[in-house]
Amino acid sequence: MAHAYTPGLKVTEGTTIQKKRQLPLEGEVLVEIGAKVTAEDVVAKADLPGNVQLLNVANLLSVPPEEISEYMLKQEGETVTQDEVIASTKGLFGLFKSQARSPMVGTIESISGVTGQVILREPPIPVEVKAYTEGIVTETIPNEGVTVETYGTYVQGIFGVGGETVGELVVIVNSPSETLDANQILPEHKGKILVAGSLVSTDVVQKGIDIGVNGIIAGGIDDADLRQLLGYELGVAITGSEELGITLVITEGFGSIAMADRTFTLLKEREGMKTSINGATQIRAGVVRPEIVIPFVSEAEDQHADVLAGILNIGSPVRVIREPHFGRLGHVTELPIELQKLETEAEVRVLQVEFANGEKTTLPRANVEAIEEK
């Protein structure tokens, strides 16, 4: 039996989306406020300290702990390779030497004359945080991360597994109630985000993994298939860290449930656009929902302008979402039909906005968002 849940999930055709991109520990922020970033751009990085291993050199050399410094061939802070000799006795006439070899590649962190042990640390593990979505950096947090802001379509799911991924959106079924067949997934779908209909099965997910599909969005999934995919029963916990090789976003619930018409239609309209999805889900305190983000930036700005053209009229309230007027409110006074050339030589659709103080300016339509009147 299918189970659907309706917790008021967001399905928004166009809205301002802010994503905080933060490191798990202090590191280096690589971009500045105002920088335009793509989803794949690294915006911050850090080095996670490597694992530690202990090597009892005193025992290996059969010497008192307080004497090991005399036999060390490598000192604190020096790098070592696997099986490299780091300590050795002189032996008898150069023979019968006792040696201590490094069990790993890394660095000698400390040499203890009390315990006779040497602490070796593996190389640091690089940690990179990507922008996740195309947009503009609107805030930097020193040594921690940034906030990326974009304007686009935003859809929340009910459940998901797998982490963040990016790819071109492809609607692979003809209707929201259609069940996707594994044979419909083809080699050319490698790296794509596929939109299924009412159900995604184990066979479909496995075929997607084999082909190299980045993600699948569907109306429902059977809990038995989910257990089979994960290899364990999913309890009340946060998902998103699974290493399935694919990300799933379920929009409606468990079982064979047709995707909501509005969601399917919206995704169909966005087909071919660069899409970011994240399957991370938490259903206890601090709710986290899986999400679909389709920004209207870079090559998608024309689509943004087309969307705005359908919802803006003379007098419509708007908010500017790009510098130099970022955040200012106003209303539309003119909507020229002709394309106009910018300083960058690009020809785009524009509009004229009047701010509260009476100041007027002409802006690309991609630089504003419509404000819903209550």
Side-chain angles (χ1 to χ4, degrees):
M1 180 178 178
H3 301 278
Y5 306 93
T6 55
L9 301 180
K10 294 180 181 178
V11 179
T12 309
E13 181 177 354
T15 187
T16 298
I17 305 161
Q18 291 184 327
K19 288 297 170 185
K20 184 167 284 188
R21 313 300 296 154
Q22 201 160 359
L23 290 163
L25 72 166
E26 286 198 352
E28 180 185 1
V29 175
L30 304 178
V31 293
E32 298 179 348
I33 292 176
K36 187 174 182 178
V37 294
T38 67
E40 297 84 2
D41 286 344
V42 177
V43 295
K45 66 177 183 177
D47 286 327
L48 191 66
N51 295 325
V52 165
Q53 289 193 35
L54 300 178
L55 186 66
N56 197 323
V57 172
N59 280 355
L60 291 172
L61 302 185
S62 299
V63 299
E66 61 272 15
E67 296 180 9
I68 67 167
S69 60
E70 301 176 21
Y71 304 100
M72 292 297 299
L73 304 178
K74 290 281 189 174
Q75 302 304 316
E76 291 182 4
E78 293 190 69
T79 58
V80 295
T81 58
Q82 190 164 357
D83 293 328
E84 181 179 359
V85 177
I86 63 172
S88 176
T89 59
K90 296 178 181 178
L92 183 62
F93 303 113
L95 302 174
F96 309 110
K97 291 181 181 180
S98 295
Q99 296 179 329
R101 296 177 180 271
S102 171
M104 52 174 260
V105 174
T107 305
I108 294 180
E109 189 158 290
S110 69
I111 301 170
S112 175
V114 176
T115 64
Q117 292 185 328
V118 172
I119 298 178
L120 299 145
R121 187 176 290 277
E122 295 177 356
I125 303 167
V127 177
E128 295 182 339
V129 173
K130 296 183 178 180
Y132 173 59
T133 182
E134 298 190 24
I136 303 295
V137 176
T138 58
E139 177 190 19
T140 59
I141 308 167
N143 306 317
E144 291 186 29
V146 304
T147 297
V148 176
E149 183 172 298
T150 190
Y151 182 93
T153 294
Y154 183 73
V155 178
Q156 286 184 319
I158 189 70
F159 177 78
V161 292
E164 298 172 352
T165 190
V166 180
E168 180 186 330
L169 192 67
V170 177
V171 179
I172 202 170
V173 294
N174 297 315
S175 73
S177 59
E178 184 179 336
T179 300
L180 179 62
D181 188 274
N183 294 326
Q184 293 174 265
I185 303 179
L186 305 174
E188 55 262 36
H189 293 138
K190 181 178 181 180
K192 311 293 187 184
I193 306 294
L194 305 183
V195 178
S198 61
L199 183 69
V200 60
S201 65
T202 304
D203 291 344
V204 167
V205 175
Q206 190 57 57
K207 181 67 176 295
I209 294 171
D210 294 341
I211 292 292
V213 171
N214 284 0
I216 298 177
I217 304 165
I221 188 172
D222 282 335
D223 53 359
D225 286 340
L226 184 61
R227 284 196 303 272
Q228 185 177 344
L229 287 168
L230 297 176
Y232 56 86
E233 184 80 43
L234 191 65
V236 180
I238 187 166
T239 70
S241 59
E242 299 80 12
E243 296 183 359
L244 288 176
I246 197 169
T247 296
L248 304 179
V249 174
I250 306 303
T251 63
E252 311 305 323
F254 290 93
S256 182
I257 309 176
M259 185 179 294
D261 286 339
R262 183 186 176 198
T263 302
F264 184 82
T265 300
L266 192 53
L267 296 178
K268 183 68 176 176
E269 290 174 353
R270 303 292 180 263
E271 186 169 15
M273 295 179 67
K274 193 173 185 179
T275 301
S276 303
I277 65 172
N278 186 1
T281 309
Q282 181 170 298
I283 56 177
R284 52 188 178 186
V287 173
V288 175
R289 295 295 183 193
E291 63 181 13
I292 305 163
V293 179
I294 310 173
F296 298 144
V297 293
S298 65
E299 63 273 0
E301 288 185 347
D302 284 342
Q303 285 97 324
H304 175 197
D306 289 339
V307 171
L308 282 174
I311 60 177
L312 289 182
N313 297 295
I314 302 299
S316 294
V318 293
R319 178 187 292 110
V320 182
I321 60 173
R322 304 278 175 83
E323 295 294 350
H325 301 288
F326 178 79
R328 297 186 68 181
L329 303 178
H331 65 273
V332 178
T333 55
E334 290 184 26
L335 285 168
I337 298 175
E338 302 81 9
L339 298 179
Q340 293 194 20
K341 185 175 290 188
L342 302 179
E343 293 178 1
T344 60
E345 300 298 319
E347 292 187 346
V348 299
R349 291 184 178 87
V350 299
L351 48 72
Q352 186 181 81
V353 175
E354 181 177 339
F355 299 118
N357 62 0
E359 178 189 353
K360 293 183 179 181
T361 186
T362 299
L363 299 169
R365 295 187 188 181
N367 285 18
V368 304
E369 66 174 351
I371 300 174
E372 293 183 11
E373 295 182 288
K374 302 289 186 179

